[in-house]
Each structure stands twice: as structure tokens, then as C-alpha cells.
Amino acid sequence: MSYTESIGSRTYRFADLKSLLAKASPQRSGDQLASIAAASEEERVAAKMALAEVPLRTFLNEPLIPYETDEVTRLIIDDHSPAAFAEISHLTVGDFRNWLLSTTTDTDALTRITEGLTPEMVAAVSKLMRNQDLITAARKRPVITRFRNTIGLPGRMSVRLQPNHPTDDVKGIAASMLDGLMYGCGDALIGINPASDNLAAITKLLQMIDDFRQRYQVPTQSCVLTHVTSTIAAMERGAPVDLVFQSIAGTEKANASFGISLALLQEAYEAGLSLQRGTVGSNLMYFETGQGSALSADAHFGVDQQTCEARAYAVARKFKPFLVNTVVGFIGPEYLYDGKQITRAGLEDHFCGKLLGVPMGCDICYTNHAEADQDDMDNLLTLLGVAGINFIMGVPGADDVMLNYQSTSFHDALYVRDVLGLRRAPEFEEWLESMQIIDARGALIGASARQPLLEGARDWMGIA
């Protein structure tokens, strides 16, 4: 089905729903690279006007990628709940935006419709929204998950402690881990990106974190972010695996480029469940995504990168994850050119994920060849904190020495918690207070009070 919209004497025609969504997207270098973006701001406005009149039902009848050839499309259609959709089934995309922003639409209403939403619906409505609209609606939709602690409660924000090392040196990683814990970070997880997929090294890192966790009774979870097949192998060898990680995308072909399928993710999910390592819940999958991943794999099929990204959240939702992380500026300026595009993408991803019932976090980041800097990251960090982000990254000095990109630091987490009054996960906060790292208000206690714990941990790990 084609779509048309007139502005003055000029009429714009859009060949199909896929083209309409792409042309309605805010300016994005990745869509320009794919030659699917609007040619002018006037065409973009025309596409938004036409998109606003599209009934939500259309997205159920016109799959962007054929049902027969894509298992992600099949997942989206087969798992759709007509009962949950009924409440909003009469709305157009523009009406849906108004409904989301209405003061009478609350958390209960957004929760009721979750299973009735498809990624394409939420991607479409996001294209009609200003940044403040994305923040307003996402803030109304908390998503709460549990493993050894509870993430996503309103008024709280967690941090993934990311102590990477360029050679996977255990002492170097342990030192960064201790540094982050002394700043009150690590309630989302302690997660290491390994420099290699060597199974022995992965197991050694998992064991080190788990030994520390048990010795000091830390109510958090660990993860080594290796390929899911390596994690399955580690579980088979008896490694202490908490969260099961995998990068995912929004098309079957893009996921195949990662070496995964829905069946493989199901196998990993069931293997993780069988370990029964969670204490307060059983959400155990950890997924990472990023706008541009499908395009970079030549697996986007003409779908704009933001809609492809939202489709990845349908994959995540299937496996009841503990955490989902959009690594928003990591792929580079070919896909998100500058600070403005990175900021917009981060807000879109968080909004779309939350509406789909996914526990969204964000690696607020950029590569050194992007037209962005740390001020842009400060802005996005603050906006996502207001929007109710589940978690952010805690990287020593905000500079990841293994992955070579810029993210957010332990100090950045302190900043956003302080200015927005955000607390940590309750179980982790209680532990920090018991260890005299924070006081009852959640503020850091002086270094002298923390010194005994720090020295004891250093001695135990053999860190000078």
C-alpha cells in the first residue's frame, strides 16, 4: 500500500509502509548511508503527517519484512496479543501519541497494552514525538526485574560496573572492580567484556567475581560478555554463570551474522534457568543492541535503523531478560553522526524498549571519531535519568581501555543520582550501608571508613 501527503502545491508519495517509516525518521547518518532517508526536511514533515494517519492495525497486516522469510517477524506476529491490543486497536499512530501523553494514561494502562504492541507500532509513534514526549511516556512505564537484587523500581537507577582490561588480566580487572564498588557502583551487574573468547580465561574471570561475591556477600550478579555458545560451554564445565549474555538484532539475517538464532537463545535461556542461581528472581538474560547493527550486516532489508532496533526488543522480550542495553553511540558516526543524533537515538531506544516491557539500560557512549564529546554524554545521561532508565555504565574514568570508546564513569553515576535523587537497587544499597561505603541517605562515606574493606579485599586478591 502506498501513501501520499501534500504540502502546499507539492505532493509526496511513499511506496509502502517501510518507506514511510524511514522518511519520517529524524535525521540519521545510517539511514542516509542506506539511501532510505528523507531527501529534505519538507519530505520528512510530509512523511510524519502521513504516518500520523496510519491505523495501528496496519502494522499487523503489512509486515515490513516477510513473515515467511524472517523468524523475528514470525515472533512478532505470533506473540501478538489481540486482547491486549483491543484497548488501542481503534487508534491511528497520531492518536496513539496523544493517548500515551494523556495525563489519564498511567502505568497500569501502559502495562495492560504491552503484549498488544509490536516494535513497528512503537517505532512509528516515536517518530512523531519530541524528546520531552519520549521522556514523559517512558517515565510512566517502569519495568522491574529480579535476580539477586531488584532493578527498575521507580526512583532508582542501577549501574553496570564494567572493569574491562586489554589483556583480561585478573588483578587489573579486580582493581577496577574494587574501585567501582567503593563508589557504590555494581548493582546492575559486574560485567566484563573479555578481550578473547578463550574458555579458560572466561571461566577464571567468572570464578574470581563469584569468589569475591560470596566472600563479601554482595547482592549482585556477574557476567562475562562472551558469545552465548561460549557461555553454554562454560556452564557445561561447571563455571559459576549468573547472567547469560548475547548481542542481538532485529532481523533473522542480522542475528545470523552474530552466529545466533531464536532456538539457540532458547537453549541458553533454559540452561541458565537450570542453574537456579537467582535468589530473588529468575530473570537471567542480558542482551545488548545498537542502532545500525542490521545495516552494518547488510541485513536491514530497507527498514530504517531505529525500527530495526525496536524489532530487537521483541527478541529480548521473548526471554524475560534481567537487563537490555542499547550501546547507543558505539557503532560509530556512520550510523549516528553527532551528539544530537546519539541523544535522540538513546531516548528513542529507551522509550521503545520500555513500552514493549523491556528493562532498558543505556551505554551512553561515543567513539573518538564521532562529532560528540563528554558534554553530549552528560546531557543524555541527565535526560535518561529523568526518563527512568534502569541502568547505565560505570567505566573507570569513562574511558574503556579495552574497547577504546568513551562511556560514563563512576563519578557520573554519583552526579545523576545526586541531582535527581535516584537510589540504588534496594538490596545492594543495604549491603553498601552495612559495609560503610554509603550512609543512610545513599551518600558516600569518607574514604577512611571504607579503607578496612578496601585493604582486606586487596590483600585477598593479591593487589598491591
Side-chain angles (χ1 to χ4, degrees), residues 36-244:
I36 59 174
S40 67
E41 286 302 317
E42 184 173 280
E43 185 181 25
R44 183 171 288 112
V45 170
K48 289 176 185 289
M49 293 169 63
L51 182 60
E53 299 303 317
V54 174
L56 291 179
R57 287 186 180 277
T58 303
F59 295 96
L60 300 173
N61 300 323
E62 296 186 33
L64 304 185
I65 301 172
Y67 181 94
E68 297 76 15
T69 60
D70 185 87
E71 68 174 1
V72 177
T73 299
R74 293 195 291 276
L75 171 68
I76 291 167
I77 298 299
D78 294 349
D79 281 7
H80 180 259
S81 169
F85 183 57
E87 186 171 346
I88 57 169
S89 61
H90 61 291
L91 300 178
T92 66
V93 176
D95 294 333
F96 185 39
R97 172 189 176 275
N98 295 338
W99 184 86
L100 288 170
L101 298 176
S102 170
T103 55
T104 60
T105 300
D106 57 11
T107 299
D108 288 342
L110 292 176
T111 304
R112 282 196 307 271
I113 67 165
T114 297
E115 300 299 325
L117 295 174
T118 70
E120 293 84 358
M121 291 177 192
V122 298
V125 75
S126 75
K127 298 175 192 299
L128 306 183
M129 302 176 90
R130 293 170 57 186
N131 286 1
Q132 66 173 260
D133 300 336
L134 298 172
I135 293 167
T136 298
R139 187 177 175 84
K140 293 194 285 187
R141 182 54 172 103
V143 179
I144 300 166
T145 56
R146 296 175 174 87
F147 189 75
R148 284 202 190 91
N149 58 26
T150 306
I151 302 296
L153 293 166
R156 295 180 183 267
M157 184 199 74
S158 298
V159 176
R160 170 189 158 189
L161 205 173
Q162 183 171 304
N164 294 343
H165 192 280
T167 63
D168 289 340
D169 180 76
V170 173
K171 288 186 179 181
I173 289 170
S176 292
M177 182 181 74
L178 288 174
D179 189 26
L181 288 169
M182 291 304 105
Y183 282 100
C185 295
D187 49 342
L189 79 155
I190 300 171
I192 302 164
N193 298 88
S196 76
D197 273 339
N198 179 278
L199 189 56
I202 291 164
T203 302
K204 189 175 183 180
L205 292 174
L206 285 168
Q207 193 65 60
M208 181 272 289
I209 301 173
D210 200 60
D211 288 350
F212 179 87
R213 180 189 65 79
Q214 292 193 60
R215 180 181 179 89
Y216 290 98
Q217 299 181 310
V218 190
T220 191
Q221 35 285 319
S222 64
C223 184
V224 173
L225 282 68
T226 187
H227 192 270
V228 67
T229 53
S230 297
T231 302
I232 292 172
M235 286 190 277
E236 290 172 345
R237 294 191 180 190
V241 173
D242 288 343
L243 302 188
V244 177

Side-chain angles (χ1 to χ4, degrees), residues 338-402:
D338 57 15
K340 182 173 182 178
Q341 291 188 15
I342 292 170
T343 297
R344 174 71 189 190
L347 294 175
E348 289 170 346
D349 294 350
H350 179 249
F351 163 84
C352 290
K354 284 293 185 65
L355 255 64
L356 291 168
V358 171
M360 289 302 298
C362 184
D363 190 341
I364 301 162
C365 63
Y366 64 100
T367 56
N368 288 313
H369 61 311
E371 291 295 320
D373 58 28
Q374 214 65 38
D375 285 338
D376 295 310
M377 302 305 104
D378 286 349
N379 293 342
L380 180 53
L381 170 63
T382 307
L383 293 172
L384 286 171
V386 174
I389 192 81
N390 278 32
F391 71 101
I392 61 167
M393 300 297 111
V395 177
D399 183 2
D400 193 299
V401 295
M402 196 280 282

Side-chain angles (χ1 to χ4, degrees), residues 236-294:
E236 290 172 345
R237 294 191 180 190
V241 173
D242 288 343
L243 302 188
V244 177
F245 168 80
Q246 182 56 49
S247 294
I248 58 173
T251 72
E252 179 178 348
K253 184 179 178 182
N255 284 326
S257 75
F258 292 149
I260 62 166
S261 65
L262 296 181
L264 179 59
L265 293 178
Q266 183 68 35
E267 178 187 347
Y269 176 54
E270 291 174 3
L273 286 175
S274 73
L275 300 181
Q276 297 183 324
R277 290 177 60 83
T279 56
V280 298
S282 59
N283 302 112
L284 57 84
M285 299 299 283
Y286 175 30
F287 295 117
E288 286 193 345
T289 67
Q291 288 195 29
S293 58

Side-chain angles (χ1 to χ4, degrees), residues 18 21-22 25 31 36 127 302-309:
K18 184 190 320 186
L21 287 166
S25 291
D31 291 339
I36 59 174
K127 298 175 192 299
V303 178
D304 69 272
Q305 68 180 44
Q306 188 248 332
T307 302
C308 279
E309 171 74 3

